[in-house]
Amino acid sequence: MKPQKLFRQIHHWGSIVIAIPLLVMIGAGILLMLKKEIEWIQPSTQKGTEREAIPTKTLSELFLAAKSVEKAGITNWADLERVDVKANKGIVKFVAASNWEVQVDANTAEILQVAFRRSDIIEQIHDGSFFADWTKLWLFLPAGIVLLILWITGIYLFFLPHMKKWQKKQRYKSA
């Protein structure tokens, strides 16, 4: 079988096999690219009172402030997914496992913003881990590999007519 026929067959069947996972990855990827532009995806980072100063509150004091926000569901440190210290903004972000984000001023311990953070969920959809633990490695990773193969074979198929035309011109010049 000629390479070009094999590559066309790979394109034909490979594109069908990865259609749905690829659609999910592309859709979630587009949303992730816009996360800083759209508040609904990821809340914007607020600014604290003294951004250049060394924070005056301890992490424990800031945690107590975040804990006071009931809808975030933070009762202890284990309820947190992560803590982001934004020194240049003078704030600390407490991101709960429930995807609620509490932004606290690092110097006053004042709650600056409480918002639901969807970017982490969208990221899990993008990599497939949202659906089940196995889908990341056994569905989305193979779909990505097939997409890479489709890209490589597509480049070959794209340049093949140009290469044939060039070879034909070279033979014509030699004769």
Side-chain angles (χ1 to χ4, degrees), residues 1-119:
M1 181 182 287
K2 288 184 177 182
Q4 62 196 66
K5 186 171 181 170
L6 175 66
F7 290 169
R8 283 195 180 97
Q9 288 293 318
I10 290 170
H11 267 265
H12 179 78
W13 293 108
S15 60
I16 291 169
V17 169
I18 68 167
I20 292 174
L22 189 60
L23 179 65
V24 171
M25 282 190 268
I26 291 169
I30 289 169
L31 289 175
L32 288 172
M33 283 187 237
L34 298 171
K35 72 181 181 182
K36 299 288 185 184
E37 276 57 68
I38 301 173
E39 287 265 336
W40 181 82
I41 299 172
Q42 181 173 308
S44 62
T45 302
Q46 302 301 306
K47 291 184 171 111
T49 52
E50 297 180 44
R51 290 175 284 204
E52 303 300 320
I54 296 172
T56 57
K57 299 293 182 184
T58 66
L59 193 56
S60 294
E61 291 172 309
L62 299 172
F63 173 75
L64 287 174
K67 187 178 168 181
S68 71
V69 178
E70 286 184 30
K71 69 177 161 183
I74 301 170
T75 56
N76 57 52
W77 286 96
D79 294 331
L80 295 174
E81 182 68 31
R82 71 175 158 276
V83 177
D84 290 338
V85 177
K86 302 289 184 183
N88 61 335
K89 304 253 183 181
I91 67 155
V92 176
K93 292 182 181 183
F94 292 90
V95 181
S98 63
N99 290 312
W100 279 93
E101 177 182 280
V102 181
Q103 295 183 26
V104 183
D105 188 302
N107 290 294
T108 65
E110 173 190 350
I111 305 293
L112 298 175
Q113 181 174 333
V114 178
F116 192 74
R117 184 182 174 105
R118 291 171 181 84
S119 60

Side-chain angles (χ1 to χ4, degrees), residues 133-165:
D133 290 338
W134 63 270
T135 57
K136 183 176 184 174
L137 293 176
W138 297 103
L139 183 62
F140 281 68
L141 177 62
I145 292 168
V146 171
L147 180 60
L148 176 64
I149 292 168
L150 291 178
W151 180 80
I152 292 167
T153 57
I155 293 294
Y156 174 82
L157 290 171
F158 177 80
F159 284 111
L160 182 65
H162 301 291
M163 290 181 349
K164 296 263 187 195
K165 196 179 212 182

